[in-house]
Amino acid sequence: MLEKLRKQLQQHSPQRLDHVVMPEAAVLMPIVERPSPTLLFTRRASHLSTHSGQVAFPGGKREACDADLYATALREAQEEIALAPSFVQPLGRLSDVISLHGIRVTPWVGIIPPDLPLVADPSELDTIFEVPLSHFLDDRRTHTDVITVDGVAHYVPSYHVDGHVIWGLSAMMLVELLAEGFGMPIDLYQRPPGALHHYPERSSRLPKAARMPTKRTMK
């Protein structure tokens, strides 16, 4: 499974928004190399003023010391969950996404060994947890969030797993990983069956010429 993922991501051409001038950030999507591989998530600490209690991948804003955005993802993962960069086998990047707060976020996918002595930074996180990839490949979503950005509806799956809710930006990144990395027939731009939860329309804060295509098909 993971070897196929490696090959697929090496051939993938993610959408880049390097020409868009806005704050940059990066996240690491760590896949734990177990007999049944899992995806590692964090939950933001409840005392934080922004994103408190939200599930996310390790990551954060780029700093001047970072050579590139992959370095940002590795540094943030080390600071947040004590994941040493040497344990990460990089597989590739996914498409840039724009956060609700006007930050361009670049996701990076990497494989890590199982049972590392990871520790959540209590100043930023409440917990670290893993979810089997099979949960997502079987499309065990509880419902679909309809998030309309610049007039384009995005059908974003929402997953409830052991009291955690995986949705929003993290789920959008996950859709691309499933589609491009595993060939799963999942698409942010096609309405799926099941319950829908609509959110108010919003703007991406991008200039019109730099906005995402009205439809981008994920294979």
Side-chain angles (χ1 to χ4, degrees), residues 32 34 112-118 130:
V32 185
R34 299 188 182 280
I112 65 173
D115 305 318
L116 293 174
L118 303 179
E130 299 176 31

Side-chain angles (χ1 to χ4, degrees), residues 57-133:
F57 295 108
K61 289 185 179 179
R62 184 175 186 173
E63 295 185 358
C65 63
D66 297 332
D68 51 31
L69 285 166
Y70 180 58
T72 299
L74 292 180
R75 175 183 55 75
E76 287 284 343
Q78 186 167 30
E79 292 175 0
E80 290 186 355
I81 63 173
L83 173 60
S86 60
F87 284 121
V88 182
Q89 300 177 43
L91 297 187
R93 66 180 285 172
L94 299 180
S95 297
D96 294 336
V97 291
I98 306 300
S99 78
L100 181 63
H101 300 282
I103 299 173
R104 175 162 56 89
V105 185
T106 301
W108 296 86
V109 183
I111 297 175
I112 65 173
D115 305 318
L116 293 174
L118 303 179
V119 180
D121 177 359
S123 68
E124 294 193 50
L125 304 175
D126 280 340
T127 191
I128 305 167
F129 66 98
E130 299 176 31
V131 179
L133 274 172

Side-chain angles (χ1 to χ4, degrees), residues 1 3 11 50-51 60 67 70 129 155 158 163 170 190 203 219:
M1 175 191 284
E3 185 56 35
Q11 298 170 4
T50 59
H51 307 301
Y70 180 58
F129 66 98
Y155 296 94
S158 179
S170 295
Q190 294 291 328
S203 168
K219 298 177 183 177

Side-chain angles (χ1 to χ4, degrees), residues 165-207:
V165 181
I166 302 165
W167 70 293
L169 210 65
S170 295
M172 293 177 74
M173 298 172 186
L174 180 53
V175 164
E176 185 175 9
L177 175 65
L178 297 172
E180 299 295 345
F182 296 100
M184 181 175 169
I186 187 171
D187 190 332
L188 283 176
Y189 302 96
Q190 294 291 328
R191 175 175 176 168
L196 301 180
H197 182 177
H198 291 263
Y199 281 82
E201 183 170 352
R202 65 178 179 87
S203 168
S204 66
R205 304 189 184 187
L206 284 172

Side-chain angles (χ1 to χ4, degrees), residues 45-60:
S46 57
H47 65 261
L48 296 176
S49 58
T50 59
H51 307 301
S52 61
Q54 290 189 5
V55 168
F57 295 108

